[in-house]
Amino acid sequence: GADDFLTKPVNKRVFSARLKAWLRMHLALSGKRATHSTNGDIVLDEDKLAAFVSDKEVSLQRKEFEIMQLLLSKPRKVFSREEIKENVWVEVQNVRNRTIDVHIRNLRGKLGSRYIKSYKGIGYSYEG
């Protein structure tokens, strides 16, 4: 009846990532996740994987949606690329910084550049 397993020696980062994935999956199955997240002008709809910017619907890819969810969870907090990797690409270990940069660029193109601020050499934040 196991959902997952870890081999010894246990890597703390892998354990943390798997635990977050397990929690996310089980909370989704139990229906405890919110279908809408709101912050300022942006409303995220988890059922449609869409963002509404000033009442205009914008379709997002899964990873773009997850990045936006993370940024909206703590507005004005600067998330490092490493934090974004750990929270969005849970099972994947070798995500490159450029991958995150491309997703951020796509989000800016879809939502508008004023919402996501870059901090050179550090990361990104939602500035709504």
Side-chain angles (χ1 to χ4, degrees):
D3 289 333
D4 202 352
F5 70 94
L6 296 169
T7 58
K8 289 184 179 180
V10 177
N11 181 318
K12 290 179 186 178
R13 289 181 55 174
V14 171
F15 176 75
S16 175
R18 296 243 179 115
L19 182 60
K20 287 177 187 175
W22 184 87
L23 285 171
R24 189 173 35 224
M25 181 181 69
H26 283 79
L27 288 175
L29 292 176
S30 69
K32 291 184 182 173
R33 281 176 97 171
T35 54
H36 287 77
S37 282
T38 308
N39 197 311
D41 298 341
I42 296 181
V43 176
L44 294 180
D45 186 337
E46 198 165 343
D47 294 333
K48 293 183 179 181
L49 281 183
F52 292 87
V53 182
S54 302
D55 296 327
K56 254 175 88 174
E57 184 174 352
V58 178
S59 188
L60 300 176
Q61 294 177 5
R62 165 68 65 191
K63 293 300 179 190
E64 292 170 349
F65 186 86
E66 290 176 4
I67 290 170
M68 205 59 217
Q69 251 184 339
L70 177 66
L71 295 177
L72 283 172
S73 70
K74 294 182 182 171
R76 302 198 192 290
K77 178 194 184 308
V78 179
F79 287 93
S80 69
R81 286 180 179 89
E82 195 61 36
E83 287 176 299
I84 295 171
K85 283 181 203 177
E86 289 173 4
N87 286 288
V88 176
W89 282 271
V90 177
E91 288 91 23
V92 181
Q93 294 293 319
N94 57 352
V95 175
R96 296 183 177 172
N97 288 340
R98 189 71 189 126
T99 303
I100 295 168
D101 298 340
V102 169
H103 280 81
I104 294 290
R105 186 184 70 220
N106 292 341
L107 277 168
R108 284 184 175 142
K110 292 177 180 183
L111 303 175
S113 59
R114 74 179 189 99
Y115 295 106
I116 300 173
K117 184 174 179 181
S118 295
Y119 291 87
K120 191 171 182 164
I122 301 171
Y124 301 98
S125 73
Y126 172 75
E127 296 295 321

